[in-house]
Amino acid sequence: QALALDPNNSDMYNCLGTIEFAQNQVDPTMACYLRALQLNPNHVAALNNLSGLYLQLGRHAEAFAAAQHAYQLEPGVPEVILTYTEAMQNNGQPAAVVPILTALLERNPRLTPAYNSLGNAYHRMGDFPNAIAIYRKGYALDPDFPKMPNNLALALYKNNQADEAIALLETILA
């Protein structure tokens, strides 16, 4: 109804895309984000949301392009930084995200997703001790963060700490 009143409102298309995304409607979601960007090519939220959708679809180059554009426009927004660094990692640049995420955590030390993403970067580089340390910080901050315990357990296992990894998983499953 809102679009009927103002069919050229990029914010409305972005919002509708978010609703479609929540209902697992991939094609309508993408159409909404693309329309928002057609109306306003610098719509940061639509760029960020489109990048997230591309990441889920495994379209890494497109995700990186959208995330990079959003990051260039708004480099200080945590959600934009997280999407950008995830896209960078999926494009084989885990080392490049370490200083970006470290700076983000210095400004936002309670941002659990940033710990997970930074741990993932170290993990992808094969630096399991640093990955474990970062995952532990994030896990201590929010033990209910969905991916953190599994990522921590996997890093422990790959660092030849299988007993600790198993104990962690048993604790989670109990």
Side-chain angles (χ1 to χ4, degrees):
Q1 291 177 349
L3 286 173
L5 296 173
D6 187 1
N8 295 318
N9 187 322
S10 62
D11 288 329
M12 289 297 184
Y13 280 99
N14 182 59
C15 185
L16 182 58
T18 303
I19 293 167
E20 296 286 1
F21 181 79
Q23 296 175 355
N24 296 315
Q25 300 297 316
V26 174
D27 291 335
T29 299
M30 187 170 303
C32 288
Y33 294 152
L34 290 172
R35 178 65 178 142
L37 292 168
Q38 183 181 37
L39 293 168
N40 178 1
N42 293 326
H43 194 290
V44 173
L47 285 163
N48 199 55
N49 291 337
L50 182 61
S51 178
L53 179 61
Y54 283 148
L55 284 168
Q56 286 193 351
L57 296 173
R59 294 168 62 174
H60 301 300
E62 292 162 296
F64 179 73
Q68 185 176 40
H69 188 181
Y71 182 74
Q72 289 167 344
L73 294 168
E74 293 286 343
V77 176
E79 293 80 13
V80 170
I81 295 168
L82 289 169
T83 303
Y84 178 55
T85 56
E86 183 177 351
M88 290 175 71
Q89 289 192 59
N90 285 329
N91 274 329
Q93 302 175 45
V97 308
V98 171
I100 297 169
L101 290 169
T102 300
L104 176 60
L105 284 167
E106 287 172 1
R107 292 188 310 273
N108 301 282
R110 300 195 55 78
L111 191 61
T112 307
Y115 286 101
N116 190 61
S117 189
L118 182 57
N120 290 346
Y122 283 120
H123 191 137
R124 287 179 176 173
M125 293 186 301
D127 185 347
F128 301 117
N130 272 327
I132 291 166
I134 295 298
Y135 288 141
R136 284 188 197 280
K137 287 180 184 178
Y139 184 66
L141 187 64
D142 183 2
D144 295 324
F145 186 81
K147 297 176 183 178
M148 195 79 67
N150 292 335
N151 290 342
L152 174 56
L154 184 58
L156 287 165
Y157 178 78
K158 287 184 175 181
N159 199 49
N160 298 316
Q161 294 173 263
D163 290 343
E164 191 174 347
I166 292 168
L168 174 62
L169 291 172
E170 286 175 343
T171 301
I172 295 165
L173 296 172

